[in-house]
Amino acid sequence: MKQKLLYLGWSIYRDIVFSGLQEGITKDQRKKIIGFNQFILLALLVNFFSVVSYFYHKLYISALINITSAYFFLLAFYFGSRRKLETGRIIAVVNLNLYLIVISYIEGLKAGEYLLFPYFLVLTFVVSIRRNSRELFIVYTITVIASLVCLKLSPYTNTVQVINDALYTRLYSSNLVISLCMTIIFSYSILRVNKDNEVAILQEKKFGDTIFNTSLDGVFIIYSQSGIIASCNRRALELFDVQEKREIEGSHVENWFDEDHVRRFNAIEKSVSEGTQSWQGELAFTTQSGRTFHGYVSVAPFSYKDIRYTKISILDVSHVKMTEFELMKAKEKAEVAAKAKSRFLSNMSHELRTPLNGIIGASNLLVQEEHSPSQKAHLDILKFSSEHMMMLINDILDYNKIEAGKLELAEAPVNIKEFILQLSTQFASQIKGKGLEFKTDIDDRLNAEFITDETRLNQVLSNLLSNAIKFTHEGKITLAVRKLFASSAKATIQFIVMDTGIGIPRNKHREIFETFTQADVNTTRKYGGTGLGLAITKKIVNKFNSDLLLESEEGKGSAFHFTVELKVNESRPRYIHEENSSQLCQLPGIRVLIAEDNPVNLAIARRFLAKWGIQVSEAVNGREAVEKFRKEEFDLLLIDLEMPEMDGATALREIRKLNHNIPVVAFTAAVYDNMQEDLLQKGFTDFIHKPFRPVELHTKINYLVAALRA
């Protein structure tokens, strides 16, 4: 029974004292809340016993005042539990002082109620002495004012209640005892708080010392004016081969640092007034035992209690410097080895190519001359083996050139469609000879000249096609080239090589692009090769500012693809010169809108149209052409097919929504099968090829405008 009562009492105490606590609060906030709740609990207990005592002595007014005071303490507790601690504390302090003023006035000073003024009470439980001096001053002020008001207004005795001399004596004695008990309790609490604060300060100092002494930097604290070392950490002792702190502390900075170091430290201190707050850099130091080490130094001046200090932090970077030195030596050796390798490969190139060219030439001549059927197989082996060896040598030399950064792309006009057709012709017989189907898919819009390196592009596609042939035993190989985006100045073209061969496992997709690597050892044994082909191909594609991508699944074939952006050949003829172009008749009153993003093409077309008396408006993209057509009236439109923001076909769809009859001529360099049928289906009336014939342009404008006006 006794244990149950004790447990019940402890539960009530815990619920009251820990009320208002929440997650995420600091340790100081937690102590403040608990102290406040303890103060409220003690005040309510005092009120309770006072009410019982007053009822016993039939002092009902005093009992009522205590009950009222208890109500306000409960109100303060309510605010504290609702996370409004400041409001609750104000209510508690004001309530306690008002209670003592009122009770002293009702009972008279002779009862001794003024002895209970809550100086120690409030000081201990409501105010944190160390951290809230302003709040402490406010509580002191309230207490002093309340005590003065009490002594000034309260009579010595009062007749509001019936209190005889014996009762006054008992009241005074009980208040005196309570005051003494509270003084003892709260004095002990103050001593305990001070002890806790002292322990906390010592722990903070110990924590700071631990950080100071376990730092990887050697730290010196120096008096800036005198140059005397005030303190240092353990790492500083280790750096300078010193056993005891007393050997450094109190000594002059010149005993441990060179003159140049000291001069630099003093300069940092003097520059503080100029705005420079710190300095970092590398310095060399000599220890007491004569050992030299390199340190990364940070110098930072600071002030504490009006005394100027300089903090010097030194991080030992000797191992880093040694590593840098070793790396420099390794780099020099690697450069020498690379030069030797380049010279060796260059010499080997000459030495190997000369006899190989002779072997290849001789084998080709023998194949062409008369030979017996039994000799043909041997000649084919000789021809294939010599050409294969030449290919391996070329791979090694190309890779060496790429690694040395000497591979540069040439720039020359290339008709992509013709180039792909020529390339496919070279591989067609070889693919069909292996019993495979060869399919080519070439975008007709690529029948134009683009600026690129034909040799390197041929090398990339030839390597991919050769691999496709090597690793495909049945099915087909596809070479696809598509134009993705285009304008009059440049085009984005995608190249794809697909096969139905052995495929590549997903976990090998990245690995096969590495140097001297194939999918697995069995592949190397079965198919041969250096493992350089795809590595070289990928690096060449990178030179085109692109990347070689792979889509493959083992047993289901592979697809290699890359996308390049090529410039359109700007030096191609803009128009075809004709002698009779100057004799063409005038076309006054005709209004033409030209949509062309290439400024040179636009200027040439405008010059001819203006010469024939035609009024010309210009747009540099499809979107601008549509906007101008909305605002102005025209007799004919010349629209380039490939423009930024909105291409010619899209612009024409918008224009046809506004006018179904106006003649629109496609002004384009594209040439492909069924071109006229395709353009008519898209809504164009006719088309003019670039480079254009002035006579043809004049004739079509005259005919189409006349037909429209008729």
Side-chain angles (χ1 to χ4, degrees), residues 55 129 508 583 632:
F55 272 109
I129 301 172
K508 300 290 184 179
Q583 302 174 5
E632 303 178 38

Side-chain angles (χ1 to χ4, degrees), residues 435-454:
L436 303 174
E437 180 187 351
F438 186 34
K439 180 182 178 182
T440 56
D441 180 9
I442 308 172
D443 195 328
D444 287 330
R445 295 175 297 171
L446 293 174
N447 189 15
E449 289 188 346
F450 299 89
I451 304 299
T452 187
D453 188 329
E454 182 178 1

Side-chain angles (χ1 to χ4, degrees), residues 94-110:
V94 173
N95 174 57
L96 189 56
N97 284 278
L98 288 176
Y99 163 76
L100 292 174
I101 292 173
V102 174
I103 199 72
S104 295
Y105 180 82
I106 295 298
E107 295 180 357
L109 296 177
K110 190 176 180 179

Side-chain angles (χ1 to χ4, degrees), residues 38-135:
Q38 288 175 334
F39 160 69
I40 295 295
L41 180 60
L42 183 60
L44 289 172
L45 288 174
V46 172
N47 280 129
F48 174 75
F49 288 114
S50 295
V51 169
V52 172
S53 175
Y54 284 134
F55 272 109
Y56 176 77
H57 293 102
K58 299 181 181 179
L59 298 176
Y60 301 116
I61 296 177
S62 297
L64 180 61
I65 293 171
N66 272 271
I67 292 171
T68 304
S69 176
Y71 167 78
F72 282 104
F73 279 130
L74 288 172
L75 183 63
F77 176 77
Y78 170 80
F79 279 105
S81 65
R82 292 296 182 274
R83 304 174 187 176
K84 296 181 180 179
L85 186 62
E86 297 301 322
T87 304
R89 289 165 67 183
I90 293 171
I91 293 172
V93 172
V94 173
N95 174 57
L96 189 56
N97 284 278
L98 288 176
Y99 163 76
L100 292 174
I101 292 173
V102 174
I103 199 72
S104 295
Y105 180 82
I106 295 298
E107 295 180 357
L109 296 177
K110 190 176 180 179
E113 296 287 354
Y114 59 87
L115 296 172
L116 301 178
F117 266 101
Y119 170 78
F120 294 110
L121 180 72
V122 174
L123 190 64
T124 304
F125 285 99
V126 182
V127 182
S128 175
I129 301 172
R130 186 164 62 93
R131 300 183 185 274
N132 295 299
S133 57
R134 178 174 173 273
E135 190 173 348

Side-chain angles (χ1 to χ4, degrees), residues 409 538-547 563-565:
L409 297 180
K538 186 176 180 67
K539 289 182 181 294
I540 294 175
V541 171
N542 293 156
K543 281 287 185 178
F544 281 95
N545 296 319
S546 184
D547 194 15
T563 303
V564 295
E565 186 177 80

Side-chain angles (χ1 to χ4, degrees), residues 402-688:
I402 292 170
E403 288 293 292
K406 295 180 180 178
L407 181 66
E408 298 294 337
L409 297 180
E411 291 189 351
V414 179
N415 186 300
I416 296 297
K417 184 175 182 179
E418 293 178 1
F419 161 71
I420 296 298
L421 289 173
Q422 184 180 4
L423 179 68
S424 61
T425 302
Q426 295 173 8
F427 282 89
S429 59
Q430 188 177 351
I431 294 172
K432 291 177 180 177
K434 199 174 178 181
L436 303 174
E437 180 187 351
F438 186 34
K439 180 182 178 182
T440 56
D441 180 9
I442 308 172
D443 195 328
D444 287 330
R445 295 175 297 171
L446 293 174
N447 189 15
E449 289 188 346
F450 299 89
I451 304 299
T452 187
D453 188 329
E454 182 178 1
T455 302
R456 293 303 175 185
L457 199 57
N458 181 78
Q459 185 177 355
V460 168
L461 295 172
S462 296
N463 201 336
L464 295 177
L465 286 169
S466 296
N467 279 350
I469 296 170
K470 182 191 297 184
F471 298 112
T472 304
H473 304 299
E474 59 181 2
K476 66 178 179 180
I477 294 174
T478 303
L479 173 61
V481 188
R482 301 162 183 165
K483 183 190 282 190
L484 302 182
F485 312 103
S487 67
S488 293
K490 56 188 176 182
T492 302
I493 304 172
Q494 184 182 44
F495 297 87
I496 307 170
V497 176
M498 294 181 287
D499 63 65
T500 57
I502 62 175
I504 301 167
R506 290 189 180 277
N507 60 343
K508 300 290 184 179
H509 283 198
R510 186 185 300 272
E511 187 176 331
I512 63 166
F513 292 109
E514 296 177 3
T515 309
F516 307 113
T517 302
Q518 291 186 333
D520 55 44
V521 177
N522 294 329
T523 303
T524 306
R525 290 173 180 168
K526 184 175 181 180
Y527 298 99
T530 60
L532 285 173
L534 283 177
I536 293 171
T537 302
K538 186 176 180 67
K539 289 182 181 294
I540 294 175
V541 171
N542 293 156
K543 281 287 185 178
F544 281 95
N545 296 319
S546 184
D547 194 15
L548 182 60
L549 303 177
L550 167 64
E551 296 176 13
S552 181
E553 189 174 342
E554 190 172 10
K556 295 185 178 180
S558 305
F560 291 87
H561 58 93
F562 62 96
T563 303
V564 295
E565 186 177 80
L566 302 180
K567 296 179 181 177
V568 176
N569 182 19
E570 295 288 343
S571 61
R572 70 187 188 280
R574 306 292 173 171
Y575 69 96
I576 299 173
H577 181 72
E578 295 178 346
E579 295 297 330
N580 60 350
S581 62
S582 59
Q583 302 174 5
L584 297 173
C585 65
Q586 294 290 299
L587 301 173
I590 295 178
R591 292 157 298 176
V592 173
L593 171 63
I594 306 179
E596 168 67 68
D597 66 313
N598 187 291
V600 178
N601 288 341
L602 184 62
I604 291 173
R606 182 178 61 241
R607 187 180 65 187
F608 277 103
L609 295 176
K611 185 188 296 186
W612 300 331
I614 296 174
Q615 299 176 22
V616 181
S617 291
E618 303 167 2
V620 296
N621 57 62
R623 193 179 306 280
E624 186 177 340
V626 174
E627 292 300 320
K628 286 202 171 187
F629 189 80
R630 292 179 191 275
K631 298 176 182 178
E632 303 178 38
E633 293 184 359
F634 299 98
D635 298 304
L636 183 138
L637 276 64
L638 282 173
I639 298 182
D640 185 17
L641 291 180
E642 296 168 347
M643 294 182 291
E645 295 193 33
M646 183 185 289
D647 62 22
T650 306
L652 180 58
R653 283 200 301 269
E654 297 298 319
I655 289 171
R656 286 302 184 205
K657 293 177 183 178
L658 304 173
N659 190 319
H660 294 283
N661 301 319
I662 187 168
V664 181
V665 178
F667 198 45
T668 178
V671 179
Y672 55 91
D673 295 338
N674 301 318
M675 181 174 177
Q676 185 168 8
E677 181 181 347
D678 178 61
L679 292 175
L680 290 174
Q681 187 176 359
K682 289 178 179 178
F684 287 95
T685 310
D686 207 335
F687 65 93
I688 294 286

